[in-house]
Amino acid sequence: MNGSLLGALCLLLTLAGYYFSKRLYLRRQRVWFAPIIMAPTIILLTVVIFQIPLADYFQFTHWLPALLAPATIAFAVPIYRERALIKRYPLTISVGVLAGLCLGVGSSWLILHFTHMPSELSKSLIVRSVSTPFAIEATSAFGGIPELTAMLVLVTGIMGMLICDPLFKAANIKSSLARGISLGASAHGAGAAKANQIGREEGVIASLTMIFTGIAMVITAPLFALLF
Amino acid sequence: MLSSFNTHSAFIKCKTTLVIQVSGLCLFAWLCQWAAHSVHSIIPGSVIGLGVLLLLLSCHWIPEKVVNQGSAWLIGDLLLFFIPPVVAITKYKLILESYGAELIVCMLLASASVLLGTAFIVDKLFKFERKQRLNSITAQRLQLRTTLLNI
């Protein structure tokens, strides 16, 4: 098949796969239909099964990741809108962000030192708990690979979404702040979506924590990188 | 007929606003990245842009409605923008096949510890802050009562 026709079809496949799973999830709220699980699976499977060359896949889809930078800037709007909430809990939010950041980097440090994974894989793991636009910016400081990082960020989000309910129950975590902040700091976007299902305040606080943890990760990455 | 025309034109107007706002944000992002690159900033341009936009909004130099729709779309469909990098992992198929199981176990343990650790710390801090607030309220009431008794 003609290369650019295949490229255009790939762009169409990506858009259709994403918006289809989004629609489906709105109608049937099953976790397996969530766009974060279903959309990448459909698209990845199609590319693998039909053995589409990556160069053709990227011919027209390469501008989609370019939108991550304006998306990062767009996070200024929710921060501005929820400034009242931030003023109400400044200490709790900042300690939560700091704790999430240190635990995330610390746990990756343990993995890096006690397992025998190839370094490009384990180094891409370090930034896994922050939202993709920030993670992709920060991963180069640690020597990680953006593509691997994007995948690990995605898997972390899905895991956080699935394990949070039993963990909160077992540890008897009831306050909305603790639930929202920990979901935002450990599972970024997917965690914020999950927190939104628990309650409105949890959702807002999780989104804010996600943004702050991302910013903090990008700013502190060169410092943390000295540890590794 | 007229109402359908009105909804149609409202739809077009809404989409045009969205496209203009997203393009504006893209241009702004590009400018910030260019500026960050030219001064060799350690902080990436997109994070600087976030700070600048927040400052502009807080000082009311630009109204929220100018970026409202564009930012809502960019944040709401964030997942779409990183599907292409995820597809690129087919390049690393061999690594993932040999270390996949180990990776999943490590990530589960690490995610659980980040989630629980953060939740535990915030929960304790929240209870401490609440207790402090309650204590200060009780102290104020006591003081008020003693003052009233003295009168």
Side-chain angles (χ1 to χ4, degrees), chain A residues 20-56:
Chain A
F20 167 73
S21 55
K22 204 173 167 182
R23 269 267 170 92
L24 192 68
Y25 185 65
L26 274 178
R27 283 205 192 154
R28 291 156 194 244
Q29 302 262 326
R30 298 275 161 74
V31 82
W32 307 113
F33 291 151
I36 193 168
I37 300 179
M38 199 173 166
T41 315
I42 300 177
I43 296 157
L44 203 56
L45 277 180
T46 319
V47 171
V48 172
I49 291 170
F50 292 98
Q51 295 182 333
I52 299 171
L54 280 183
D56 287 330

Coordinates of all heavy atoms in Angstrom, one line a residue, chain A residues 20-56:
Chain A
F20 N -13.8 6.3 20.0 CA -14.8 5.2 20.1 C -14.8 4.7 21.6 O -15.8 4.5 22.2 CB -14.4 4.1 19.2 CG -15.1 2.8 19.5 CD1 -16.5 2.6 19.2 CD2 -14.4 1.7 20.0 CE1 -17.1 1.4 19.4 CE2 -15.1 0.5 20.3 CZ -16.4 0.4 20.0
S21 N -13.5 4.5 22.2 CA -13.5 4.0 23.5 C -14.0 5.0 24.5 O -14.7 4.7 25.5 CB -12.1 3.5 23.9 OG -11.2 4.5 23.7
K22 N -13.8 6.3 24.2 CA -14.4 7.3 25.1 C -15.9 7.3 25.1 O -16.5 7.4 26.2 CB -13.9 8.7 24.6 CG -13.8 9.7 25.6 CD -13.2 11.0 25.1 CE -13.4 12.2 26.1 NZ -12.9 13.4 25.6
R23 N -16.5 7.2 23.9 CA -17.9 7.1 23.8 C -18.5 5.9 24.6 O -19.5 5.9 25.3 CB -18.3 6.9 22.3 CG -18.6 8.2 21.6 CD -20.1 8.6 21.7 NE -20.3 9.9 21.2 CZ -20.6 10.2 20.0 NH1 -20.7 9.2 19.1 NH2 -20.8 11.4 19.6
L24 N -17.8 4.7 24.3 CA -18.3 3.5 24.9 C -18.2 3.5 26.4 O -19.1 3.1 27.1 CB -17.3 2.3 24.4 CG -17.8 0.9 24.7 CD1 -19.0 0.6 23.8 CD2 -16.7 -0.1 24.4
Y25 N -17.1 4.2 26.9 CA -17.0 4.3 28.4 C -18.1 5.2 29.0 O -18.6 4.9 30.1 CB -15.6 4.8 28.8 CG -15.3 4.7 30.2 CD1 -15.3 3.5 30.9 CD2 -15.2 5.9 31.0 CE1 -15.1 3.5 32.3 CE2 -14.9 5.9 32.3 CZ -14.9 4.7 33.0 OH -14.7 4.6 34.3
L26 N -18.5 6.2 28.3 CA -19.5 7.1 28.7 C -20.8 6.3 28.9 O -21.6 6.6 29.8 CB -19.7 8.3 27.8 CG -18.8 9.5 28.0 CD1 -19.0 10.5 27.0 CD2 -19.0 10.0 29.4
R27 N -21.1 5.4 27.9 CA -22.3 4.6 28.0 C -22.3 3.5 29.0 O -23.2 3.3 29.7 CB -22.6 4.0 26.6 CG -23.1 5.1 25.7 CD -23.9 4.4 24.6 NE -24.2 5.4 23.5 CZ -24.4 5.0 22.3 NH1 -24.4 3.7 21.9 NH2 -24.7 5.9 21.4
R28 N -21.2 2.7 29.0 CA -21.1 1.6 29.9 C -19.8 1.8 30.8 O -18.7 1.7 30.3 CB -20.9 0.3 29.2 CG -22.1 -0.1 28.5 CD -21.7 -1.0 27.3 NE -22.9 -1.2 26.5 CZ -23.5 -2.3 26.3 NH1 -23.1 -3.4 26.8 NH2 -24.6 -2.4 25.5
Q29 N -20.1 2.2 32.1 CA -18.9 2.5 32.9 C -18.2 1.3 33.4 O -18.2 1.0 34.6 CB -19.5 3.3 34.1 CG -20.2 4.6 33.7 CD -19.3 5.8 33.8 OE1 -18.4 5.9 34.6 NE2 -19.5 6.7 32.9
R30 N -17.7 0.5 32.5 CA -16.9 -0.7 32.9 C -15.4 -0.3 32.9 O -15.0 0.4 31.9 CB -17.1 -1.9 32.0 CG -18.5 -2.4 32.0 CD -18.7 -3.4 33.1 NE -20.2 -3.5 33.3 CZ -21.0 -4.2 32.5 NH1 -20.5 -4.8 31.5 NH2 -22.3 -4.3 32.8
V31 N -14.7 -0.8 33.8 CA -13.3 -0.4 33.9 C -12.5 -0.8 32.6 O -11.6 -0.1 32.2 CB -12.6 -0.9 35.2 CG1 -12.1 -2.3 35.1 CG2 -11.4 0.0 35.5
W32 N -12.9 -1.9 32.0 CA -12.1 -2.4 30.8 C -12.4 -1.5 29.6 O -11.7 -1.5 28.6 CB -12.5 -3.8 30.5 CG -12.3 -4.7 31.7 CD1 -13.2 -5.3 32.5 CD2 -11.0 -4.9 32.4 NE1 -12.6 -5.9 33.5 CE2 -11.3 -5.7 33.5 CE3 -9.7 -4.5 32.2 CZ2 -10.3 -6.1 34.4 CZ3 -8.7 -4.9 33.1 CH2 -9.0 -5.7 34.2
F33 N -13.5 -0.8 29.6 CA -13.8 0.1 28.5 C -13.2 1.5 28.7 O -13.3 2.4 27.8 CB -15.3 0.3 28.4 CG -16.0 -0.9 27.9 CD1 -17.4 -1.2 28.3 CD2 -15.4 -1.9 27.1 CE1 -18.0 -2.3 27.9 CE2 -16.1 -3.0 26.7 CZ -17.4 -3.2 27.1
A34 N -12.5 1.7 29.8 CA -11.9 3.0 30.1 C -10.9 3.4 29.0 O -10.1 2.5 28.6 CB -11.2 3.0 31.4
P35 N -11.0 4.6 28.4 CA -10.1 4.9 27.3 C -8.6 4.6 27.6 O -7.9 4.2 26.7 CB -10.3 6.4 27.1 CG -11.6 6.7 27.7 CD -11.9 5.7 28.8
I36 N -8.2 4.8 28.8 CA -6.8 4.6 29.1 C -6.4 3.1 28.9 O -5.2 2.8 28.7 CB -6.4 5.0 30.6 CG1 -4.9 5.1 30.7 CG2 -7.1 4.2 31.6 CD1 -4.4 5.8 32.0
I37 N -7.3 2.2 29.0 CA -7.0 0.8 28.8 C -7.4 0.4 27.4 O -6.5 -0.2 26.6 CB -7.8 -0.1 29.8 CG1 -7.4 0.2 31.2 CG2 -7.5 -1.6 29.5 CD1 -8.1 -0.6 32.3
M38 N -8.6 0.7 26.9 CA -9.1 0.2 25.7 C -8.4 0.8 24.4 O -8.0 0.1 23.5 CB -10.6 0.4 25.6 CG -11.2 -0.5 24.6 SD -13.0 -0.4 24.7 CE -13.4 -1.1 23.2
A39 N -8.3 2.2 24.4 CA -7.7 2.8 23.2 C -6.3 2.4 22.9 O -6.1 1.9 21.7 CB -7.8 4.3 23.4
P40 N -5.4 2.4 23.8 CA -4.0 1.9 23.5 C -4.0 0.5 23.0 O -3.3 0.1 22.1 CB -3.2 2.1 24.7 CG -3.9 3.0 25.6 CD -5.4 2.9 25.2
T41 N -4.9 -0.4 23.7 CA -4.9 -1.8 23.3 C -5.3 -2.0 21.9 O -4.7 -2.7 21.1 CB -5.8 -2.6 24.3 OG1 -5.6 -2.1 25.6 CG2 -5.6 -4.0 24.2
I42 N -6.5 -1.4 21.5 CA -7.0 -1.5 20.1 C -5.9 -1.1 19.1 O -5.6 -1.8 18.2 CB -8.2 -0.6 19.9 CG1 -9.4 -1.0 20.8 CG2 -8.7 -0.7 18.4 CD1 -10.6 0.0 20.6
I43 N -5.3 0.1 19.4 CA -4.4 0.7 18.4 C -3.1 -0.1 18.3 O -2.6 -0.5 17.2 CB -4.1 2.2 18.7 CG1 -5.5 2.9 18.6 CG2 -3.1 2.8 17.8 CD1 -5.5 4.2 19.3
L44 N -2.6 -0.5 19.5 CA -1.3 -1.3 19.5 C -1.5 -2.7 18.8 O -0.7 -3.1 18.1 CB -0.9 -1.5 21.0 CG 0.5 -1.8 21.3 CD1 1.4 -0.7 20.7 CD2 0.8 -1.9 22.8
L45 N -2.7 -3.3 19.1 CA -3.0 -4.6 18.5 C -3.0 -4.5 17.0 O -2.5 -5.3 16.3 CB -4.3 -5.2 19.1 CG -4.2 -5.9 20.4 CD1 -5.5 -6.5 20.9 CD2 -3.1 -7.1 20.3
T46 N -3.7 -3.5 16.5 CA -3.9 -3.3 15.1 C -2.5 -3.1 14.4 O -2.2 -3.8 13.4 CB -4.7 -2.1 14.7 OG1 -5.8 -2.0 15.6 CG2 -5.2 -2.1 13.3
V47 N -1.7 -2.3 15.1 CA -0.3 -2.1 14.5 C 0.5 -3.4 14.5 O 1.2 -3.7 13.5 CB 0.4 -0.9 15.3 CG1 1.9 -0.8 14.9 CG2 -0.3 0.4 15.1
V48 N 0.4 -4.1 15.6 CA 1.2 -5.4 15.7 C 0.6 -6.4 14.7 O 1.4 -7.1 14.0 CB 1.2 -5.9 17.1 CG1 1.8 -7.3 17.2 CG2 1.9 -5.0 18.0
I49 N -0.7 -6.6 14.7 CA -1.3 -7.7 13.8 C -1.0 -7.4 12.4 O -0.6 -8.3 11.6 CB -2.8 -7.8 14.1 CG1 -3.0 -8.4 15.6 CG2 -3.5 -8.8 13.1 CD1 -4.4 -8.4 16.1
F50 N -1.3 -6.2 11.9 CA -1.1 -5.9 10.5 C 0.3 -5.5 10.1 O 0.6 -5.1 9.0 CB -2.1 -4.7 10.1 CG -3.5 -5.2 10.1 CD1 -4.3 -4.9 11.2 CD2 -4.0 -5.9 9.0 CE1 -5.6 -5.3 11.2 CE2 -5.3 -6.3 9.0 CZ -6.1 -6.0 10.1
Q51 N 1.2 -5.6 11.1 CA 2.6 -5.3 11.0 C 2.9 -4.0 10.2 O 3.6 -3.9 9.2 CB 3.3 -6.5 10.2 CG 3.3 -7.7 11.1 CD 4.0 -8.9 10.4 OE1 4.0 -8.9 9.2 NE2 4.5 -9.8 11.2
I52 N 2.2 -2.9 10.7 CA 2.4 -1.6 10.1 C 3.8 -1.1 10.5 O 4.1 -1.0 11.7 CB 1.3 -0.6 10.6 CG1 -0.1 -1.2 10.2 CG2 1.5 0.8 10.1 CD1 -1.3 -0.5 10.8
P53 N 4.6 -0.6 9.5 CA 5.9 -0.1 9.9 C 5.8 1.2 10.7 O 4.9 2.0 10.4 CB 6.5 0.2 8.5 CG 5.7 -0.5 7.5 CD 4.3 -0.7 8.1
L54 N 6.6 1.3 11.7 CA 6.5 2.5 12.6 C 6.6 3.8 11.8 O 6.0 4.8 12.2 CB 7.5 2.4 13.7 CG 7.2 1.5 14.9 CD1 8.3 1.6 15.9 CD2 5.9 1.9 15.5
A55 N 7.5 3.9 10.8 CA 7.7 5.1 10.0 C 6.4 5.5 9.4 O 6.0 6.7 9.4 CB 8.7 4.9 8.9
D56 N 5.6 4.6 8.9 CA 4.3 4.9 8.3 C 3.3 5.3 9.4 O 2.6 6.3 9.2 CB 3.7 3.7 7.6 CG 4.4 3.4 6.3 OD1 4.9 4.4 5.7 OD2 4.5 2.3 5.8

